[in-house]
Amino acid sequence: MEALQVPLQLLYSGIALGMIYAVIAFGYQLTFQTSDTLNFGQGDALMLGAMVGLTLVGLGLNYWLMLPTVIVFGMLQGGLVEWLGVRPALKIKSEFGWIMSTIALGIIFKNVAENLWGRDDLKFPSPLPESPLSLLGAKVLPMEILVVFGAIAMMLAVELFNRKTIYGKAVVATFNDRDAAGLMGINTGLVITFSYALSSASAALAGVLIAPLTLTGATMGAVLGLKAFAVAIIGGLTSGLGIIVGGIMLGAAEMFTGYYVSSGYKDVPGLLLLLLVLALKPAGLFGKTAIKKV
């Protein structure tokens, strides 16, 4: 059993990290399916969620009450990104305008965060005991367990919303065919705004989930956002299962490489996996290749 202890611990940490990647990648998926665009400021939405959460906790708000507040903040921030950066580009049918707009807004948010909270990394107090639990002979932090279940709960809630509510069905209709949904009377512009709001809310939630496990600062979202984008590509931008599998694969690969090879090489397996998937299955491991009739 002792021989399995280290690999199990690495696996547990990899799953927790991978689920954070998956939640952020889920946000990429939401916007891509409604508007064929991506919010390249997802990492900054995560950072803002963590910083706002840290401020609220510092003001005395309970962590569990802070979570819905940060989700609402994330939705407002995402709606602002769509309104300022994406909608004008879609209106003039600019093929790449939304890319630069979302990147530019992300840089602005990062600069605002540096001016409000400073450039130093801050410690986010954990709402759960910081002493590890024993699971199958290996140690796992209670916060890592919360990360996994919180991430799954967020994605299931969105899935239930889409399946069970009339507003969710409008979102699904826009997913399937935006033009047809518009002809049926669905306000597709509002649906796209909502998808951006939901994507940033998921990133903000990811921020306050991972913050107690790491340091919180204005630069924390940059790398996480890029890795989550890699997860979205690896798993497929049309598959919820794909981003979960892709996230866990990347998180576990980083942990095992960092321990058994070198921490300086922990990013390499994920990049190699990304290149391999792009070469062999461009739509992602679980993605579907779109067939367009001309």
Side-chain angles (χ1 to χ4, degrees):
M1 192 59 129
E2 288 185 10
L4 291 175
Q5 186 174 353
V6 171
L8 271 177
Q9 281 193 232
L10 294 172
L11 181 61
Y12 293 156
S13 297
I15 290 173
L17 180 60
M19 290 307 296
I20 288 295
Y21 292 156
V23 170
I24 309 169
F26 183 61
Y28 286 122
Q29 187 185 94
L30 286 170
T31 60
F32 180 77
Q33 290 189 328
T34 54
S35 60
D36 290 329
T37 64
L38 299 167
N39 180 8
F40 285 103
Q42 275 288 89
D44 298 289
L46 175 143
M47 175 272 297
L48 285 175
M51 299 304 286
V52 169
L54 179 62
T55 300
L56 292 173
V57 169
L59 291 173
L61 186 64
N62 180 276
Y63 180 88
W64 309 108
L65 295 176
M66 174 272 294
L67 289 178
T69 309
V70 166
I71 289 173
V72 171
F73 168 81
M75 294 189 75
L76 293 173
Q77 187 261 341
L80 181 67
V81 169
E82 192 277 335
W83 183 59
L84 289 176
V86 179
R87 187 179 303 183
L90 292 179
K91 189 175 291 185
I92 64 172
K93 294 183 168 38
S94 172
E95 192 169 354
F96 301 110
W98 54 269
I99 298 177
M100 295 310 301
S101 295
T102 56
I103 291 174
L105 285 169
I107 294 171
I108 291 171
F109 288 136
K110 177 176 170 291
N111 288 338
V112 169
E114 286 179 343
N115 282 288
L116 286 177
W117 290 285
R119 299 191 177 193
D120 295 332
D121 290 329
L122 306 169
K123 180 76 174 76
F124 196 115
S126 176
L128 298 176
E130 297 191 59
S131 54
L133 303 172
S134 181
L135 184 62
L136 298 177
K139 303 293 184 182
V140 58
L141 292 171
M143 200 64 211
E144 290 178 330
I145 298 174
L146 177 63
V147 162
V148 173
F149 284 100
I152 292 172
M154 176 73 178
M155 289 186 276
L156 283 178
V158 173
E159 186 67 21
L160 286 172
F161 172 83
N162 286 341
R163 289 177 180 269
K164 300 296 184 182
T165 70
I166 189 168
Y167 302 106
K169 288 174 182 176
V171 173
V172 173
T174 307
F175 284 177
N176 293 331
D177 192 322
R178 190 168 70 200
D179 293 333
L183 292 173
M184 291 168 59
I186 294 172
N187 187 338
T188 55
L190 188 61
V191 170
I192 292 170
T193 302
F194 178 73
S195 71
Y196 265 81
L198 208 54
S199 74
S200 288
S202 66
L205 175 67
V208 290
L209 286 176
I210 198 173
L213 294 171
T214 182
L215 293 174
T216 306
T219 59
M220 69 180 292
V223 174
L224 288 170
L226 284 173
K227 290 182 178 179
F229 180 66
V231 166
I233 300 300
I234 290 168
L237 278 164
T238 57
S239 171
L241 175 63
I243 61 172
I244 292 175
V245 173
I248 292 174
M249 286 173 65
L250 184 58
E254 286 186 6
M255 288 296 170
F256 278 89
T257 304
Y259 184 84
Y260 287 109
V261 182
S262 167
S263 59
Y265 289 102
K266 67 184 180 67
D267 296 332
V268 173
L271 295 173
L272 290 176
L273 180 61
L274 175 62
L275 292 172
L276 193 62
V277 168
L278 287 173
L280 301 178
K281 207 171 185 299
L285 295 176
F286 293 82
K288 295 178 181 178
T289 304
I291 300 174
K292 292 186 178 181
K293 295 180 180 179
V294 294

